[in-house]
Amino acid sequence: MPRRAGPGAAGPGLAGLRAAAVLLCAVLGPACPQPFPFRDPTLPWPRRLDDLLGRLSPAELVLQVARGGTMGNGPAPPIPRLGIGPYNWNTECLRGDAEAPGWATAFPQALGLAAAFSPELVYRVANATATEVRAKHNDFTAAGRYDDHTGLSCFSPVLNIMRHPLWGRNQETYGEDPFLSGELARSFVQGLQGQHPRYIKASAGCKHFSVHGGPENIPVSRLSFDAKVLEQDWRTTFLPQFQACVRAGSYSFMCSYNRINGVPACANKKLLTDILRGEWGFEGYVVSDEGALELIMLGHHYTRTFLETAVASMNAGCNLELSYGMRNNVFMHIPQALAMGNITLQMLRDRVRPLFYTRMRLGEFDPPAMNPYSTLDLSVVQSPEHRSLSLEAAVKSFVLLKNVRGTLPLRARDLRGQRLAVVGPFADNPRVLFGDYAPVPEPQYIYTPRRGLETLAANVSVAAGCREPQCQRYSRADVVGAAGAADVVVVCLGTDVETEGKDRSDLSLPGHQLELLQDAVQAAAGRPVILLLFNAGPLDVSWAQAHEGVGAILACFFPAQATGLAIARVLLGEAGANPAGRLPATWPAGMQQVPPMENYTMEGRTYRYYGQEAPLYPFGYGLSYTTFQYRDLVLSPPALPICANLSVSVVLQNTGQRHGEEVVQLYLRWEQSSVPVPRWQLVAFRRVAVPAGQETKLFFQVTAEQRAVWAQGWHLEPGAFTLFAGGQQPGQQTRVPLEVLSARFSVTGAARPLRRC
């Protein structure tokens, strides 16, 4: 696979490895590992795996697939006679070492990272995450700890499409676009696993596979839901980003709770074998979501016994069971299936093989001195470099939704001695700034909006108004008093109600939050009011967008530990803090634009298939403190053969007075497709820094594969196409004041399957 040596190779420098191994054993003497061939680093991976698997009894093989963790179901047990230790597969690394014992750097939530539109940033966040995961793992194993979240195999990234604005887990995703999600997935996987030619720092696991994007609990439970999806939507919306994950070299996938057209994902041969392994060439392992195998029987009633479930899921392609903590879980019934001939011993070995291959590539069976990651220690956890990266990521994730009358940026010299009121339930509550699957940093590194703004020269006061985001009990007097006495009012609102297992019921600000905002605006009496949103998904802020009393709106998502510092930098427009985030998902104008959660057709969903009514804020939208202009869009060649790629160039100029970053976005429109296609599709993007008054020429390539349409297989068709280039989608009602360029090109030749190019 790309970026990692496959199981048919021993890795680079075979002679050097042999020499190093001999020298190491000469130094270690009696401490040198037993000479089992599977421990010989000079042998090719397949030889080592053949040797190891050939030494395991059926009972030992069963325990390796049945003990995926969690709550006593793990770790995978040791095999003392071979000197193999325990291993815990249950680790969360979405944006930091989440849920593991001890401190860790907390980076912004995934949806905020997506808003940065920066694969390079996601790569660095994932790599820093892996560094801390590995360092803590080294410490855990030295202490003999193998409990949950101490391993190196991550259930991350989350690649589900944000197809519904109320889904409880939108915050964990990279938004609504398959291409954006796929590009960020590639960067995450490669960043997490690292660039060493032999060893991976931590292993990635792409989830939740597949057609999984709500509901959690409204109107039905995710644990029994059947996602009925058209093949067209499955192939063009719900699968592409997962294929990108395979191409990036991910070691694992997690199959999801839901059924797909009647068949549970974790027992779905079409999904796990035909598509994942057959079409895409995946060689890693598939782990069930927590309890998903039990739920094949208990939730979906697809099988009648755990024995039947074990047969169905293993034959479909599931390698590892992550149980609810049961000891007599589904895969513990494999011995009976072996005895009955429903599962072969060879299939069981085949399912175990990628588990041990992953552990080999993590370095477990090589001398530690050969693996540079084995030297990482706790000194790298919460390092100054990682804390600085957390701040940078938060700054880059913010999306400026509104900015009238030059409300932002504030001028530092004008703030000196002024009164700045920070109001709302997110003003000074560190618990609500992180979102789901968050690492836990030391309190000294957590900056709430209040704490961050107190670093400025202003006199800061705070009035929460509500103790919690639900805002059921509201103290109006506190908010009015603080806002009425201030020169600048910063209102901190948002959601902390949706989560895994819990969907939102509507788009509204929770409880009395809108009333709080309206009271603050009235009390400010024309003085600047800045609305900060801490959100897990779209919110109905149409009142704030329309009302002249709200000068600026900034979507912050869940910025984690550096929240307050990032806010202070962006509000002042400091160097490197001119907002350039863009929305990774459409914000509907109201519930009338929100289709039913349980309907999995893409019609009316996401920018690719949106209805006729304009949204409140479109995908890809975001303002800046400076202005940009595009010119000289050139497509080459303007007429290209059916299998050829298109070269694109465009000039971007910063026409404003401030340095800034722009997210250049390229969209493709099919003019003559024979099958249904999106209205247009993002095919390239790049976040670019351009100094004030300067310009840069950018080059892109749109591949033939990106023009392919699904018609019982991927096909390329001749015809006319339009390419758009700009800082936003074309033709939007809510838009940045700059022109989106367009140019036509044509494709010649006979239609053909993509695989024939």
Side-chain angles (χ1 to χ4, degrees), residues 360-409:
M360 283 185 179
R361 295 303 300 272
L362 287 164
E364 182 177 342
F365 301 115
D366 285 2
M370 292 179 62
N371 183 354
Y373 302 135
S374 66
T375 63
L376 291 172
D377 60 30
L378 296 182
S379 67
V380 302
V381 177
Q382 300 188 111
S383 66
E385 293 80 10
H386 291 180
R387 301 199 308 271
S388 177
L389 178 59
S390 180
L391 173 57
E392 177 191 347
V395 167
K396 289 186 172 180
S397 72
F398 292 173
V399 181
L400 185 62
L401 301 175
K402 177 183 180 180
N403 191 27
V404 296
R405 301 183 303 277
T407 300
L408 293 177

Side-chain angles (χ1 to χ4, degrees), residues 278-297:
E279 295 182 25
W280 298 350
F282 179 65
E283 297 176 350
Y285 65 92
V286 174
V287 58
S288 73
D289 205 339
E290 186 179 338
L293 295 194
E294 289 93 338
L295 287 163
I296 291 173
M297 183 186 86

Side-chain angles (χ1 to χ4, degrees), residues 165-196:
L166 304 181
W167 182 36
R169 304 190 73 174
N170 282 328
Q171 59 180 290
E172 301 172 43
T173 76
Y174 291 141
E176 70 181 32
D177 183 68
F179 177 71
L180 173 63
S181 297
E183 290 295 287
L184 300 183
R186 174 179 53 82
S187 289
F188 184 95
V189 169
Q190 293 175 356
L192 191 79
Q193 295 183 171
Q195 296 299 313
H196 193 278

Side-chain angles (χ1 to χ4, degrees), residues 2-135:
R3 299 207 179 264
R4 66 179 176 93
L14 191 60
L17 284 176
R18 288 196 178 102
V22 169
L23 178 62
L24 194 64
C25 279
V27 172
L28 293 176
C32 191
Q34 289 295 316
F36 294 120
F38 74 83
R39 290 193 176 276
D40 184 348
T42 69
L43 294 178
W45 303 115
R47 287 267 307 275
R48 298 177 70 181
L49 287 165
D50 289 343
D51 176 70
L52 173 54
L53 294 171
R55 296 176 186 277
L56 301 183
S57 69
E60 289 168 332
L61 291 167
V62 168
L63 284 173
Q64 293 302 312
V65 298
R67 294 291 181 252
T70 160
M71 299 182 297
N73 177 252
I79 306 172
R81 64 187 179 84
L82 299 179
I84 296 174
Y87 187 77
N88 198 298
W89 295 97
N90 178 24
T91 298
E92 300 285 357
C93 316
L94 185 62
R95 35 47 182 268
D97 190 14
E99 302 186 1
W103 308 118
T105 306
F107 299 98
Q109 180 58 293
L111 191 60
L113 292 175
F117 273 72
S118 174
E120 181 268 342
L121 177 67
V122 169
Y123 178 95
R124 289 193 289 133
V125 167
N127 196 257
T129 294
T131 296
E132 297 198 2
V133 168
R134 172 68 79 157

Side-chain angles (χ1 to χ4, degrees), residues 214-539:
E216 293 293 296
N217 68 324
I218 300 175
V220 297
S221 169
R222 63 179 177 155
L223 305 182
S224 59
F225 179 67
D226 185 9
K228 293 180 170 62
V229 63
L230 299 172
E231 185 80 13
Q232 180 89 15
D233 289 336
W234 195 6
R235 295 289 186 160
T236 60
T237 295
F238 298 108
L239 288 178
Q241 63 279 14
F242 284 102
Q243 185 174 16
C245 192
V246 173
R247 289 173 171 172
S250 178
Y251 277 69
S252 76
F253 270 57
M254 176 182 280
C255 52
S256 51
Y257 285 123
N258 54 288
R259 279 171 284 161
I260 303 171
N261 296 329
V263 182
C266 291
N268 197 310
K269 182 178 179 293
K270 177 179 179 180
L271 178 70
L272 303 183
T273 295
D274 299 346
I275 295 175
L276 180 60
R277 293 178 168 103
E279 295 182 25
W280 298 350
F282 179 65
E283 297 176 350
Y285 65 92
V286 174
V287 58
S288 73
D289 205 339
E290 186 179 338
L293 295 194
E294 289 93 338
L295 287 163
I296 291 173
M297 183 186 86
L298 300 175
H300 297 290
H301 308 293
Y302 183 77
T303 53
R304 293 166 295 178
T305 65
F306 276 5
L307 171 61
E308 189 180 341
T309 306
V311 172
S313 54
M314 178 153 281
N315 283 330
C318 187
N319 301 75
L320 181 64
E321 180 178 4
L322 179 68
S323 173
Y324 273 131
M326 300 177 67
R327 301 297 291 177
N328 190 29
N329 50 301
V330 169
F331 273 0
M332 290 301 290
H333 293 74
I334 290 174
Q336 188 177 352
L338 288 170
M340 297 170 63
N342 300 118
I343 294 174
T344 66
L345 183 58
Q346 185 57 50
M347 173 169 283
L348 178 58
R349 287 198 182 101
D350 289 344
R351 294 293 181 251
V352 174
R353 191 178 187 91
L355 301 178
F356 278 110
Y357 177 64
T358 301
R359 291 170 69 171
M360 283 185 179
R361 295 303 300 272
L362 287 164
E364 182 177 342
F365 301 115
D366 285 2
M370 292 179 62
N371 183 354
Y373 302 135
S374 66
T375 63
L376 291 172
D377 60 30
L378 296 182
S379 67
V380 302
V381 177
Q382 300 188 111
S383 66
E385 293 80 10
H386 291 180
R387 301 199 308 271
S388 177
L389 178 59
S390 180
L391 173 57
E392 177 191 347
V395 167
K396 289 186 172 180
S397 72
F398 292 173
V399 181
L400 185 62
L401 301 175
K402 177 183 180 180
N403 191 27
V404 296
R405 301 183 303 277
T407 300
L408 293 177
L410 303 173
R411 286 174 288 276
R413 65 178 180 273
D414 294 342
L415 285 177
R416 189 171 304 278
Q418 284 199 328
R419 296 162 299 179
L420 195 156
V422 189
V423 303
F426 289 79
D428 198 32
N429 185 347
R431 289 192 308 103
V432 299
L433 303 173
F434 289 82
D436 282 356
Y437 289 97
V440 179
E442 287 186 69
Q444 65 174 315
Y445 299 133
I446 300 174
Y447 284 81
T448 64
R450 174 202 63 79
R451 187 182 177 200
L453 292 170
E454 282 181 341
T455 63
L456 306 180
N459 298 316
V460 176
S461 63
V462 64
C466 317
R467 297 185 61 183
E468 299 292 340
Q470 290 82 352
C471 205
Q472 296 302 314
R473 301 182 65 179
Y474 168 46
S475 177
R476 180 178 183 274
D478 292 347
V479 171
V480 170
D487 298 296
V488 178
V489 181
V490 178
V491 183
C492 304
L493 305 179
T495 61
D496 188 42
V497 293
E498 70 267 60
T499 184
E500 181 175 1
K502 185 179 180 183
D503 299 310
R504 285 167 61 196
S505 57
D506 58 44
L507 293 167
S508 302
L509 288 163
H512 292 279
Q513 285 194 34
L514 178 57
E515 182 183 349
L516 186 157
L517 173 63
Q518 292 169 336
D519 288 341
V521 169
Q522 183 176 8
R527 292 182 294 275
V529 175
I530 301 159
L531 174 60
L532 305 181
L533 298 173
F534 301 89
N535 51 302
L539 287 164

